[in-house]
Amino acid sequence: MKQINRVRQNRSSKDFACSRIDFSQPIHFSFNGKEYTGVLGDTIASALLANGIDVVGRSFKYGRPRGIVTAGSDEPNAILQLGNCEATQVPNVRATQQLIFEGLECHSTSGWPSTRFHLMGIFGALFARFLPPGFYYKTFMAPAKWWKYYEKWIRKGAGLGRSPNRADEDIYEVINQHADVLIVGAGAAGLSAALGASRMGARVILADEQNEFGGSLLSSNIKINDRCTRDWIDAVVAELINYESQGQLLLLKHATVNGYHDHNFLTIHERCTDHLKDKAAQNEVRQRYHRVRAKQVILATGALERPLVFANNDLPGCMLASAISTYINRYQVIPGNTLVVMTANDSGYIAAIDWHNAGRRVAAVVDTRKSHASELSKQVKALGITIIYQSAVIEARRKRLNSRVCSAVIMSMDSTGDAVKGVKKLFCVTL
Amino acid sequence: MLHLSCHTGGRPIWSDALCAFLADDFNKEMQCVGAANGQYALDKIIEESVIAGINAAKLSGNENHDFSSNVNKELDILKPKVETYLASKAQAIFHIPHAKATFMAPKQFVDFQLDVTAAGIELAVAEGFESIEHVKRYTALGFGTDQGKISNINGMAIVAKKLKQSIAETGTTIFRPNYTPVTFDAIAGRNVNSFFDVERYTPLHREHIKLGALFEDVGQWKRPWYYPDDNETMNEAVARECLAVRSGVGLLDASTLGKIDIQGKDAREFLNRVYTNAWSKLPVGRCRYGLMCGEDGMVFDDGVTACLAENHFIMTTTTGGAAHVYQWLEIWHQTEWPELDVYFTTVTDQWATMTISGPKARFLLAKMTDIDLNPESFKFMDWREADVVGVPSRIFRISFTGEQSYEINVPANYAVVVWEKLLEYGQEFELTPYGTGTMHVLRAEKGFIIVGQDTDGSVTPADLNMGWAVAKNKPFSFIGQRGMNREDCLREDRKQLVGLKTKHPNQVLPEGAQIILQPNQPIPMKMVGHVTSSYFSAALGHSIAMAVVKNGINKLGDSVYLPLDNGETVEANICSPIFYDPEGAKQNV
Amino acid sequence: MFLIHCPICNEPRSEDEFHCAGEGHIQRPLDPMATSDKEWGDYLFFRSNPRGTYRELWQHTIGCRKYFYIKRNTETYQIYKTYKLDDKSERVALDKEHSNKNKFGDLL
C-alpha cells in the first residue's frame, strides 16, 4: 500500500525543517497480517496514518471502530499486540510509542474476529441503549452459574491483548542507581533543568520515554535563536553528553519513569532493543529496570491535551490538535484531506496553520470562545481560514458503519456554554 | 502531567486560571517545571527549568560549584531568543452540549479505552454516586491501561457540573504506578529460573544425588526425601527404609536443622527465660529437649540444646524456624534483657549433622571412633567430643526415631569424608540412608511432634500433653508462662494431641481430615478436630495418625468418625500418640 | 520503598535490609503472673495503630542486626527520626507525649 498521507519532501524544505524521519531508509512491517511500508523514525502510528489506515481497533464495550487519537503515551485506542513468535509476544503496546523496525509484526488487541467485522460491534450497535454503566455488574451477575458461559465470550470479544504462552528467552536487567537529581522528561524543560543541574556539578539522571530527546520541541515549528528547534536540542544534548562522558550524568532514552515510590525511590523502565528488533541478540539486554534513589526529583513531564467531549467524538479521524501537529511536523504525515479544528484555547490554531502549510485544506477553526484577536488567530485569518467563534462541533458524522468521520455538525453556543442553537454542517475528513 | 507526583500520596490541585491540575507540595524533594508546572511559554520554561536544576543540585549537596565556570556567557544556550505569541485566555469547557439531551444524543465518549460516555457518567451521578472515586469504579472511567490520561479531567468536569460544584470540590482520582505498562520480565530482571528462589544445599547434597535421592523442599532447603531402589514407589522405599532403621541402622542427613551457638555467663539464665523448661541444672556434657513458646503461650519451636561448657550452649531449632528463632533470641536480649551477658551466633552452615539410628548404630560408630561408647558412660541425652575417622566431632546421643541414635556433628567441610566412611564401614551392617519421608514415619510412631505440622500456632504445651516440658518453679516468668495461664488456655475442651487408629488397619487417613463424634449428622456437622499427621507404619503393620481432638486426652479409647471427601465415613479409635515402644526402652539401650 | 538511616551503622540503607517488629516502646509487665487477663491482653494484643506519628521497632536484619526505633508518619510515610533503644532524649519526649495523652484524653 502506498503512503498516501505522507508528504514527500526532504528535511531541507522550509515547512518540514523539524521532520525526524529518514526517507532513504524504508522499513517494512505488518499490521493485522498485512504488509505496510514506513520509513526510519516512524512510530507504528505514524506509519499507519501515512498508509491511510483509519481503524486500528475496536472499542471495549460497544465494539465501535477506533482510530489513532494521540501521538504519545496517552493513546487510548491504538493498543497493539507485538511479537513475531510466541516467546516474544508483548501485549499492551501503544502504537504511538513503538518505533517500527524491519519485519515488525503487530495486531489489534481488541477486535475479534477482525477489526472490520466485529462481534461486539454488532452487539454494541444493536443493544447500545441497554449497556449502561455498571452493565457488567448488573446483567451478567445473575444467574451466577451462567457466568462461566458468558465469561469466555465476553473476554474473547473484549480484552486488550494476551500473554505469551512460551518463556521469554531475552535477557532483562535490574540496576540500582543513585543520583543527586533525577529529571523526568527531556523536553525543553527537562533538558534545561539537566544542564542547569549538571553545570552545578550534580550527579544527574535524565530519562525520557521517547526515542529522541526534545519532547514537544520535536514536533514544533517554533524558532529558537531564529533557527529550528533541532539545532537548540542538538546543542544542549552535546553539552550533556560531555557531562555523561565524565561519568557525572546518565542519559536514558526509551526510558519511562513509571513509578514514584516512598523516599524518592523511582523506577525507570528502559527499552533497549524493542525499537530495533523483535528479539534481542545473544548476550544483549532487551530491557532494563532502573531502581533509582534520588536526592531531588524534577518532573518535566509536560502537559497533555484534553479532548473535548462531543457526540461521536470517537469516530476514526477525530484526533487531538497537538497530535495533528506532531504527525505533520515530525513525521510528515497529514492524517486526512480536510480539517475542522475545534478549540477552547489558542493551541488549536497551531494545528490549523501546520495543516494549511502542509498543503491541505482547513475547512474551519471552531472556537468555543467569543470573538477575539489573538496573534495566532490573526495568522490563521491571514491564511484565509474561516474562524467560527462561540460555536462548537456538537456531533461528528460518518457515512457507513465502519467509515471514518466525514462531516461535523456545528452549532453556536450561548455564553455559558450550556446550550446550543442553529445548525451548520461542514464536510471534513479529520477533526 | 502529574501522574508521578500522585504515586506517594500527593494530590493535584485544580487551577481555574490554567484549566489544569498542578502538583501539591506533598513531595518535599520534588519540583515540577515547564508545562507540568502550568508554564507554556518556551522562554519562561527554559528560564524556570534552569533555576530548578540549579536549586536541585544545591539541595542535593552541590552548593559550592560555580555554575558559569565553563560557560560562554554571551552565547549561553540556556538563554536563547525565542519567538513568542501572546495567547488569549483559554475557556474552561469540557463537554460540548448536543441539541438533544445527553442520553438521547449520539454517544459522547469520555474514556475511549473503556467506552465511558458522558451519558454514562451523568447516569452514575443520577443513580447517587457522588464521590469521584465511586463514579470511577462504577463507570470504569480511567480504568484502562492508559489510566485515563486524556479522559479523567473531562469525567470529573462532567460530574462536577452535574453536582453543581467546582472541579476543585469534586477532586480527582489518584494515579498509581505504573505510568505505562511494564513487562514482568523487566521487573524480574535476572531473578528467573534458578535465580527465582534461592535453593540451599547441605554439604552432602552431591552424595545424595549419587545415591539417587529424590528431594523435598523444606523452606529453601533441598532435603533428601527418600532413596528409591530401582522401580520402587515412594511407599515401598519408605517402608524399606523404616524397617532398616528399626532392625539395623539408618543414616540421615540432618544438617538443615538450625544451630545457634550461645555463650556468656548469663547464657543459662537466658535459656531459662526463652524455653518453657528448666536449664539451671543441666550439666556440661548433657543435652535437653526444649519447647519454645510465644508470649501467648503457644508452641512455636522445639529442639535439643546441649551444654558444651558452663557458659557455652548449642541450640538446635527446627529447619524452617531457624531464622525466626535467631531473631527471637536477639529481640528479647536487645529490648528487654540487655543486662544479660549472652551472645548468639548462627552456625547452621558451619556444621554438618549425620544421624545414625537403629539397634546397630553403636556397632557402626565403634568402627569410626575410639571414644568410650559404653551405654553406662555415654548415656542417652549425653554428648561427647570425639575424633571420628580423624575429624574433630561432637556426637549427640539423642533420638528422633526412638532407636539407639547418635548425631555426628562435624565441620561442614569434612562432611563428605565422614559420610563416605560411614557408608564404607556401614556395609557390614547394611547401613541404609533414609530421607525425610522415613524420618516422619519413625517420629510419628514415637509420637514426636513436628512443630508446624502437628501444631499451628494455637497449641499450648498442655494441649500437646507435654506439661512435663514446662517448669513450674522457675524464678523468672519465662516467655509463654503468663499466656498459657490465660483463662482460654485452661479450658478443658481445647483441641489436644492424640493418636488415632483406624478400624481398618490398612486405611491411611488423609492429613487434614475433619473429625466428628456422631457419624449420622446433618450438614454442617459438628467438627471436633482434625488429623495432623498420618502414615502407614511398616514396623507396626498398621496405619497410624496423630490428630488434635477437643478434650481428646480424656477420650482415650473413644470412637470418632472421619467423613472423607469421597463420601466415605471412616471410624477410628482415640489412643496415645506413642505407638511404638511406649516405655522408651529402645532409645535408652 | 523506605530509605532508613540505621542509627547503629550510621548510614542510610534501603528498606529491604530491614525487618519491622511492630509498635515500639511496648513495656513488658515486670511480673507477668501478677497481671490480670485484661492487663496481659492489652500488653500482648492491643496496639495503637494511629493515623499520624508512630514509633516502631525495626531490626537491621541484613546489616548490624541491631534493633532500633523509627519515629515516622503512617499517613505520609515520612520518617522523622531513627534512634537507638537507649536514646534518653527520646524517652523524655515519649513520656511527655504519654502524659499529654492522659491529660487531654481523646483530644490529642
Side-chain angles (χ1 to χ4, degrees), chain A residues 59 66 73 223 225-226 287 307 309 312-313 368-369 395, chain B residues 1 81 83 89 91 96 98 107 109 112 115 154 179 183:
Chain A
S59 82
R66 289 283 165 79
S73 60
K223 295 281 178 288
N225 292 334
D226 299 321
Q287 294 181 354
V309 178
N312 289 335
N313 55 344
T368 60
R369 299 171 295 180
E395 182 179 340
Chain B
M1 198 177 340
K81 186 180 92 177
E83 55 176 348
K89 193 178 177 307
Q91 183 185 10
I96 307 294
H98 195 269
K107 290 195 167 18
F109 284 93
F112 287 59
D115 273 357
N154 282 333
Y179 172 74
T183 56

PDB file of all heavy atoms in Angstrom, chain A residues 59 66 73 223 225-226 287 307 309 312-313 368-369 395, chain B residues 1 81 83 89 91 96 98 107 109 112 115 154 179 183:
ATOM      1  N   SER A  59     -13.712  -0.777  20.042  1.00  0.00           N
ATOM      2  CA  SER A  59     -13.835  -0.339  21.425  1.00  0.00           C
ATOM      3  C   SER A  59     -14.276  -1.495  22.299  1.00  0.00           C
ATOM      4  O   SER A  59     -14.864  -2.475  21.851  1.00  0.00           O
ATOM      5  CB  SER A  59     -14.778   0.849  21.535  1.00  0.00           C
ATOM      6  OG  SER A  59     -16.114   0.433  21.562  1.00  0.00           O
ATOM      7  N   ARG A  66     -12.258   2.222  16.055  1.00  0.00           N
ATOM      8  CA  ARG A  66     -11.487   3.306  16.666  1.00  0.00           C
ATOM      9  C   ARG A  66     -10.206   3.544  15.893  1.00  0.00           C
ATOM     10  O   ARG A  66      -9.593   2.618  15.360  1.00  0.00           O
ATOM     11  CB  ARG A  66     -11.130   2.949  18.119  1.00  0.00           C
ATOM     12  CG  ARG A  66     -12.321   2.961  19.063  1.00  0.00           C
ATOM     13  CD  ARG A  66     -12.727   4.359  19.432  1.00  0.00           C
ATOM     14  NE  ARG A  66     -14.048   4.429  20.050  1.00  0.00           N
ATOM     15  CZ  ARG A  66     -14.309   4.143  21.321  1.00  0.00           C
ATOM     16  NH1 ARG A  66     -13.346   3.747  22.107  1.00  0.00           N
ATOM     17  NH2 ARG A  66     -15.520   4.279  21.785  1.00  0.00           N
ATOM     18  N   SER A  73       2.109   8.658  24.899  1.00  0.00           N
ATOM     19  CA  SER A  73       1.773   7.605  25.859  1.00  0.00           C
ATOM     20  C   SER A  73       0.336   7.691  26.341  1.00  0.00           C
ATOM     21  O   SER A  73      -0.140   6.805  27.037  1.00  0.00           O
ATOM     22  CB  SER A  73       2.714   7.691  27.063  1.00  0.00           C
ATOM     23  OG  SER A  73       2.575   8.955  27.674  1.00  0.00           O
ATOM     24  N   LYS A 223      10.658  28.854  16.504  1.00  0.00           N
ATOM     25  CA  LYS A 223      12.072  29.138  16.227  1.00  0.00           C
ATOM     26  C   LYS A 223      12.801  29.519  17.520  1.00  0.00           C
ATOM     27  O   LYS A 223      12.292  30.284  18.316  1.00  0.00           O
ATOM     28  CB  LYS A 223      12.193  30.300  15.239  1.00  0.00           C
ATOM     29  CG  LYS A 223      11.621  29.977  13.859  1.00  0.00           C
ATOM     30  CD  LYS A 223      12.598  29.139  13.048  1.00  0.00           C
ATOM     31  CE  LYS A 223      12.028  28.777  11.692  1.00  0.00           C
ATOM     32  NZ  LYS A 223      10.956  27.773  11.757  1.00  0.00           N
ATOM     33  N   ASN A 225      16.453  31.078  18.705  1.00  0.00           N
ATOM     34  CA  ASN A 225      17.588  31.805  18.124  1.00  0.00           C
ATOM     35  C   ASN A 225      17.464  31.856  16.600  1.00  0.00           C
ATOM     36  O   ASN A 225      18.432  31.676  15.863  1.00  0.00           O
ATOM     37  CB  ASN A 225      18.918  31.158  18.503  1.00  0.00           C
ATOM     38  CG  ASN A 225      19.198  31.318  19.984  1.00  0.00           C
ATOM     39  OD1 ASN A 225      18.708  32.264  20.611  1.00  0.00           O
ATOM     40  ND2 ASN A 225      19.949  30.386  20.554  1.00  0.00           N
ATOM     41  N   ASP A 226      16.221  32.028  16.122  1.00  0.00           N
ATOM     42  CA  ASP A 226      15.901  32.132  14.700  1.00  0.00           C
ATOM     43  C   ASP A 226      16.185  30.850  13.931  1.00  0.00           C
ATOM     44  O   ASP A 226      16.267  30.866  12.704  1.00  0.00           O
ATOM     45  CB  ASP A 226      16.665  33.289  14.039  1.00  0.00           C
ATOM     46  CG  ASP A 226      16.286  34.608  14.677  1.00  0.00           C
ATOM     47  OD1 ASP A 226      15.089  34.773  14.993  1.00  0.00           O
ATOM     48  OD2 ASP A 226      17.186  35.432  14.891  1.00  0.00           O
ATOM     49  N   GLN A 287      15.615  -5.215  27.971  1.00  0.00           N
ATOM     50  CA  GLN A 287      15.052  -4.115  28.756  1.00  0.00           C
ATOM     51  C   GLN A 287      15.774  -4.027  30.093  1.00  0.00           C
ATOM     52  O   GLN A 287      16.255  -5.027  30.604  1.00  0.00           O
ATOM     53  CB  GLN A 287      13.553  -4.346  29.011  1.00  0.00           C
ATOM     54  CG  GLN A 287      12.735  -4.305  27.746  1.00  0.00           C
ATOM     55  CD  GLN A 287      11.248  -4.514  28.015  1.00  0.00           C
ATOM     56  OE1 GLN A 287      10.832  -4.793  29.132  1.00  0.00           O
ATOM     57  NE2 GLN A 287      10.454  -4.367  26.968  1.00  0.00           N
ATOM     58  N   PRO A 307      -9.069  16.321  25.326  1.00  0.00           N
ATOM     59  CA  PRO A 307     -10.021  16.374  24.213  1.00  0.00           C
ATOM     60  C   PRO A 307     -11.335  16.976  24.679  1.00  0.00           C
ATOM     61  O   PRO A 307     -11.631  17.011  25.866  1.00  0.00           O
ATOM     62  CB  PRO A 307     -10.206  14.903  23.845  1.00  0.00           C
ATOM     63  CG  PRO A 307      -9.929  14.161  25.102  1.00  0.00           C
ATOM     64  CD  PRO A 307      -8.921  14.968  25.872  1.00  0.00           C
ATOM     65  N   VAL A 309     -15.428  16.741  24.697  1.00  0.00           N
ATOM     66  CA  VAL A 309     -16.385  15.634  24.610  1.00  0.00           C
ATOM     67  C   VAL A 309     -17.577  16.086  23.775  1.00  0.00           C
ATOM     68  O   VAL A 309     -18.252  17.050  24.124  1.00  0.00           O
ATOM     69  CB  VAL A 309     -16.849  15.220  26.022  1.00  0.00           C
ATOM     70  CG1 VAL A 309     -17.882  14.100  25.925  1.00  0.00           C
ATOM     71  CG2 VAL A 309     -15.659  14.788  26.854  1.00  0.00           C
ATOM     72  N   ASN A 312     -20.261  11.349  19.068  1.00  0.00           N
ATOM     73  CA  ASN A 312     -19.470  10.553  18.120  1.00  0.00           C
ATOM     74  C   ASN A 312     -18.012  11.007  18.049  1.00  0.00           C
ATOM     75  O   ASN A 312     -17.370  10.894  16.998  1.00  0.00           O
ATOM     76  CB  ASN A 312     -20.083  10.592  16.712  1.00  0.00           C
ATOM     77  CG  ASN A 312     -21.372   9.798  16.647  1.00  0.00           C
ATOM     78  OD1 ASN A 312     -21.579   8.880  17.444  1.00  0.00           O
ATOM     79  ND2 ASN A 312     -22.234  10.159  15.722  1.00  0.00           N
ATOM     80  N   ASN A 313     -17.518  11.546  19.152  1.00  0.00           N
ATOM     81  CA  ASN A 313     -16.140  12.045  19.147  1.00  0.00           C
ATOM     82  C   ASN A 313     -15.115  10.922  19.025  1.00  0.00           C
ATOM     83  O   ASN A 313     -13.930  11.154  18.957  1.00  0.00           O
ATOM     84  CB  ASN A 313     -15.848  12.868  20.411  1.00  0.00           C
ATOM     85  CG  ASN A 313     -16.146  12.080  21.676  1.00  0.00           C
ATOM     86  OD1 ASN A 313     -16.824  11.065  21.640  1.00  0.00           O
ATOM     87  ND2 ASN A 313     -15.619  12.560  22.790  1.00  0.00           N
ATOM     88  N   THR A 368     -14.729  27.831  20.714  1.00  0.00           N
ATOM     89  CA  THR A 368     -15.864  27.924  21.644  1.00  0.00           C
ATOM     90  C   THR A 368     -15.920  29.287  22.318  1.00  0.00           C
ATOM     91  O   THR A 368     -16.915  29.621  22.950  1.00  0.00           O
ATOM     92  CB  THR A 368     -15.769  26.848  22.735  1.00  0.00           C
ATOM     93  OG1 THR A 368     -14.550  27.045  23.458  1.00  0.00           O
ATOM     94  CG2 THR A 368     -15.783  25.451  22.142  1.00  0.00           C
ATOM     95  N   ARG A 369     -14.840  30.055  22.200  1.00  0.00           N
ATOM     96  CA  ARG A 369     -14.793  31.327  22.903  1.00  0.00           C
ATOM     97  C   ARG A 369     -15.405  32.436  22.043  1.00  0.00           C
ATOM     98  O   ARG A 369     -15.616  32.279  20.851  1.00  0.00           O
ATOM     99  CB  ARG A 369     -13.348  31.684  23.233  1.00  0.00           C
ATOM    100  CG  ARG A 369     -12.693  30.664  24.130  1.00  0.00           C
ATOM    101  CD  ARG A 369     -11.211  30.901  24.267  1.00  0.00           C
ATOM    102  NE  ARG A 369     -10.519  30.710  22.992  1.00  0.00           N
ATOM    103  CZ  ARG A 369      -9.208  30.860  22.853  1.00  0.00           C
ATOM    104  NH1 ARG A 369      -8.474  31.246  23.876  1.00  0.00           N
ATOM    105  NH2 ARG A 369      -8.639  30.669  21.674  1.00  0.00           N
ATOM    106  N   GLU A 395     -21.438  17.280  16.993  1.00  0.00           N
ATOM    107  CA  GLU A 395     -21.545  15.883  16.596  1.00  0.00           C
ATOM    108  C   GLU A 395     -20.678  15.635  15.376  1.00  0.00           C
ATOM    109  O   GLU A 395     -20.598  16.481  14.485  1.00  0.00           O
ATOM    110  CB  GLU A 395     -23.010  15.548  16.280  1.00  0.00           C
ATOM    111  CG  GLU A 395     -23.240  14.098  15.909  1.00  0.00           C
ATOM    112  CD  GLU A 395     -24.714  13.793  15.617  1.00  0.00           C
ATOM    113  OE1 GLU A 395     -25.587  14.568  16.055  1.00  0.00           O
ATOM    114  OE2 GLU A 395     -24.965  12.784  14.947  1.00  0.00           O
TER     115      GLU A 395
ATOM    116  N   MET B   1       1.332  17.068  33.393  1.00  0.00           N
ATOM    117  CA  MET B   1       1.056  15.642  33.554  1.00  0.00           C
ATOM    118  C   MET B   1       1.558  15.206  34.930  1.00  0.00           C
ATOM    119  O   MET B   1       2.744  15.188  35.181  1.00  0.00           O
ATOM    120  CB  MET B   1       1.779  14.870  32.453  1.00  0.00           C
ATOM    121  CG  MET B   1       1.202  13.509  32.292  1.00  0.00           C
ATOM    122  SD  MET B   1       1.929  12.573  30.986  1.00  0.00           S
ATOM    123  CE  MET B   1       2.710  13.756  29.935  1.00  0.00           C
ATOM    124  N   LYS B  81      16.985  33.143  22.327  1.00  0.00           N
ATOM    125  CA  LYS B  81      15.937  34.071  21.888  1.00  0.00           C
ATOM    126  C   LYS B  81      14.827  33.211  21.298  1.00  0.00           C
ATOM    127  O   LYS B  81      15.065  32.390  20.415  1.00  0.00           O
ATOM    128  CB  LYS B  81      16.510  35.024  20.842  1.00  0.00           C
ATOM    129  CG  LYS B  81      15.557  36.115  20.434  1.00  0.00           C
ATOM    130  CD  LYS B  81      16.208  37.014  19.404  1.00  0.00           C
ATOM    131  CE  LYS B  81      15.888  36.517  18.049  1.00  0.00           C
ATOM    132  NZ  LYS B  81      16.137  36.914  16.844  1.00  0.00           N
ATOM    133  N   GLU B  83      10.798  32.986  19.750  1.00  0.00           N
ATOM    134  CA  GLU B  83       9.617  33.717  19.300  1.00  0.00           C
ATOM    135  C   GLU B  83       8.437  33.323  20.181  1.00  0.00           C
ATOM    136  O   GLU B  83       8.271  32.159  20.548  1.00  0.00           O
ATOM    137  CB  GLU B  83       9.326  33.429  17.831  1.00  0.00           C
ATOM    138  CG  GLU B  83       9.183  31.960  17.508  1.00  0.00           C
ATOM    139  CD  GLU B  83       8.794  31.714  16.060  1.00  0.00           C
ATOM    140  OE1 GLU B  83       8.418  32.673  15.384  1.00  0.00           O
ATOM    141  OE2 GLU B  83       8.871  30.557  15.630  1.00  0.00           O
ATOM    142  N   LYS B  89      -6.884  34.020  26.618  1.00  0.00           N
ATOM    143  CA  LYS B  89      -7.226  33.095  27.700  1.00  0.00           C
ATOM    144  C   LYS B  89      -8.052  31.908  27.198  1.00  0.00           C
ATOM    145  O   LYS B  89      -8.911  32.046  26.345  1.00  0.00           O
ATOM    146  CB  LYS B  89      -8.025  33.873  28.761  1.00  0.00           C
ATOM    147  CG  LYS B  89      -8.164  33.126  30.073  1.00  0.00           C
ATOM    148  CD  LYS B  89      -8.918  34.008  31.074  1.00  0.00           C
ATOM    149  CE  LYS B  89      -9.148  33.295  32.387  1.00  0.00           C
ATOM    150  NZ  LYS B  89      -9.790  31.993  32.282  1.00  0.00           N
ATOM    151  N   GLN B  91     -10.788  28.791  27.511  1.00  0.00           N
ATOM    152  CA  GLN B  91     -12.099  28.641  28.120  1.00  0.00           C
ATOM    153  C   GLN B  91     -12.170  27.264  28.799  1.00  0.00           C
ATOM    154  O   GLN B  91     -11.706  26.270  28.252  1.00  0.00           O
ATOM    155  CB  GLN B  91     -13.172  28.742  27.038  1.00  0.00           C
ATOM    156  CG  GLN B  91     -14.575  28.675  27.618  1.00  0.00           C
ATOM    157  CD  GLN B  91     -15.637  28.660  26.527  1.00  0.00           C
ATOM    158  OE1 GLN B  91     -15.330  28.508  25.346  1.00  0.00           O
ATOM    159  NE2 GLN B  91     -16.892  28.797  26.915  1.00  0.00           N
ATOM    160  N   ILE B  96     -19.220  19.292  25.272  1.00  0.00           N
ATOM    161  CA  ILE B  96     -19.985  20.109  24.336  1.00  0.00           C
ATOM    162  C   ILE B  96     -21.430  19.613  24.346  1.00  0.00           C
ATOM    163  O   ILE B  96     -21.690  18.442  24.078  1.00  0.00           O
ATOM    164  CB  ILE B  96     -19.423  19.962  22.904  1.00  0.00           C
ATOM    165  CG1 ILE B  96     -17.924  20.249  22.880  1.00  0.00           C
ATOM    166  CG2 ILE B  96     -20.195  20.828  21.938  1.00  0.00           C
ATOM    167  CD1 ILE B  96     -17.560  21.662  23.196  1.00  0.00           C
ATOM    168  N   HIS B  98     -25.187  18.814  23.227  1.00  0.00           N
ATOM    169  CA  HIS B  98     -25.783  18.435  21.955  1.00  0.00           C
ATOM    170  C   HIS B  98     -27.169  19.052  21.892  1.00  0.00           C
ATOM    171  O   HIS B  98     -27.723  19.481  22.912  1.00  0.00           O
ATOM    172  CB  HIS B  98     -25.874  16.913  21.864  1.00  0.00           C
ATOM    173  CG  HIS B  98     -26.128  16.404  20.477  1.00  0.00           C
ATOM    174  ND1 HIS B  98     -27.377  16.193  19.990  1.00  0.00           N
ATOM    175  CD2 HIS B  98     -25.264  16.062  19.478  1.00  0.00           C
ATOM    176  CE1 HIS B  98     -27.289  15.738  18.738  1.00  0.00           C
ATOM    177  NE2 HIS B  98     -26.003  15.656  18.405  1.00  0.00           N
ATOM    178  N   LYS B 107     -23.463   8.906  21.059  1.00  0.00           N
ATOM    179  CA  LYS B 107     -22.539   8.736  22.178  1.00  0.00           C
ATOM    180  C   LYS B 107     -21.445   9.790  22.213  1.00  0.00           C
ATOM    181  O   LYS B 107     -20.815  10.080  21.201  1.00  0.00           O
ATOM    182  CB  LYS B 107     -21.899   7.357  22.098  1.00  0.00           C
ATOM    183  CG  LYS B 107     -22.906   6.284  22.399  1.00  0.00           C
ATOM    184  CD  LYS B 107     -22.240   4.978  22.687  1.00  0.00           C
ATOM    185  CE  LYS B 107     -23.227   4.022  23.289  1.00  0.00           C
ATOM    186  NZ  LYS B 107     -24.627   4.369  23.078  1.00  0.00           N
ATOM    187  N   PHE B 109     -18.055  10.287  23.948  1.00  0.00           N
ATOM    188  CA  PHE B 109     -17.122   9.463  24.715  1.00  0.00           C
ATOM    189  C   PHE B 109     -16.191  10.307  25.586  1.00  0.00           C
ATOM    190  O   PHE B 109     -15.681  11.340  25.156  1.00  0.00           O
ATOM    191  CB  PHE B 109     -16.305   8.563  23.786  1.00  0.00           C
ATOM    192  CG  PHE B 109     -17.114   7.406  23.299  1.00  0.00           C
ATOM    193  CD1 PHE B 109     -17.817   7.484  22.094  1.00  0.00           C
ATOM    194  CD2 PHE B 109     -17.248   6.267  24.071  1.00  0.00           C
ATOM    195  CE1 PHE B 109     -18.595   6.435  21.669  1.00  0.00           C
ATOM    196  CE2 PHE B 109     -18.034   5.209  23.643  1.00  0.00           C
ATOM    197  CZ  PHE B 109     -18.707   5.295  22.431  1.00  0.00           C
ATOM    198  N   PHE B 112     -12.086   6.625  26.042  1.00  0.00           N
ATOM    199  CA  PHE B 112     -12.168   5.866  24.796  1.00  0.00           C
ATOM    200  C   PHE B 112     -11.834   4.397  25.037  1.00  0.00           C
ATOM    201  O   PHE B 112     -12.380   3.505  24.424  1.00  0.00           O
ATOM    202  CB  PHE B 112     -11.179   6.420  23.766  1.00  0.00           C
ATOM    203  CG  PHE B 112     -11.590   7.746  23.195  1.00  0.00           C
ATOM    204  CD1 PHE B 112     -11.775   8.836  24.021  1.00  0.00           C
ATOM    205  CD2 PHE B 112     -11.774   7.903  21.831  1.00  0.00           C
ATOM    206  CE1 PHE B 112     -12.150  10.064  23.495  1.00  0.00           C
ATOM    207  CE2 PHE B 112     -12.144   9.118  21.308  1.00  0.00           C
ATOM    208  CZ  PHE B 112     -12.332  10.205  22.126  1.00  0.00           C
ATOM    209  N   ASP B 115     -14.821   2.833  26.893  1.00  0.00           N
ATOM    210  CA  ASP B 115     -16.152   3.182  26.401  1.00  0.00           C
ATOM    211  C   ASP B 115     -17.030   3.810  27.469  1.00  0.00           C
ATOM    212  O   ASP B 115     -18.168   3.400  27.679  1.00  0.00           O
ATOM    213  CB  ASP B 115     -16.849   1.937  25.834  1.00  0.00           C
ATOM    214  CG  ASP B 115     -16.507   1.725  24.373  1.00  0.00           C
ATOM    215  OD1 ASP B 115     -15.789   2.573  23.824  1.00  0.00           O
ATOM    216  OD2 ASP B 115     -16.966   0.730  23.793  1.00  0.00           O
ATOM    217  N   ASN B 154     -12.000  15.383  32.000  1.00  0.00           N
ATOM    218  CA  ASN B 154     -13.330  15.562  31.408  1.00  0.00           C
ATOM    219  C   ASN B 154     -14.392  14.879  32.244  1.00  0.00           C
ATOM    220  O   ASN B 154     -15.476  15.426  32.471  1.00  0.00           O
ATOM    221  CB  ASN B 154     -13.344  15.000  29.984  1.00  0.00           C
ATOM    222  CG  ASN B 154     -12.678  15.959  29.007  1.00  0.00           C
ATOM    223  OD1 ASN B 154     -12.665  17.163  29.237  1.00  0.00           O
ATOM    224  ND2 ASN B 154     -12.132  15.409  27.939  1.00  0.00           N
ATOM    225  N   TYR B 179       3.075   4.235  35.274  1.00  0.00           N
ATOM    226  CA  TYR B 179       2.615   5.256  34.349  1.00  0.00           C
ATOM    227  C   TYR B 179       2.203   4.639  33.021  1.00  0.00           C
ATOM    228  O   TYR B 179       1.146   4.937  32.479  1.00  0.00           O
ATOM    229  CB  TYR B 179       3.746   6.262  34.152  1.00  0.00           C
ATOM    230  CG  TYR B 179       3.493   7.280  33.079  1.00  0.00           C
ATOM    231  CD1 TYR B 179       2.587   8.314  33.287  1.00  0.00           C
ATOM    232  CD2 TYR B 179       4.164   7.223  31.863  1.00  0.00           C
ATOM    233  CE1 TYR B 179       2.351   9.244  32.305  1.00  0.00           C
ATOM    234  CE2 TYR B 179       3.935   8.156  30.884  1.00  0.00           C
ATOM    235  CZ  TYR B 179       3.021   9.157  31.097  1.00  0.00           C
ATOM    236  OH  TYR B 179       2.787  10.077  30.115  1.00  0.00           O
ATOM    237  N   THR B 183       6.643  -4.652  31.431  1.00  0.00           N
ATOM    238  CA  THR B 183       6.667  -6.102  31.265  1.00  0.00           C
ATOM    239  C   THR B 183       7.117  -6.750  32.575  1.00  0.00           C
ATOM    240  O   THR B 183       7.937  -6.195  33.311  1.00  0.00           O
ATOM    241  CB  THR B 183       7.649  -6.517  30.162  1.00  0.00           C
ATOM    242  OG1 THR B 183       8.937  -5.995  30.481  1.00  0.00           O
ATOM    243  CG2 THR B 183       7.209  -5.996  28.813  1.00  0.00           C
TER     244      THR B 183
END
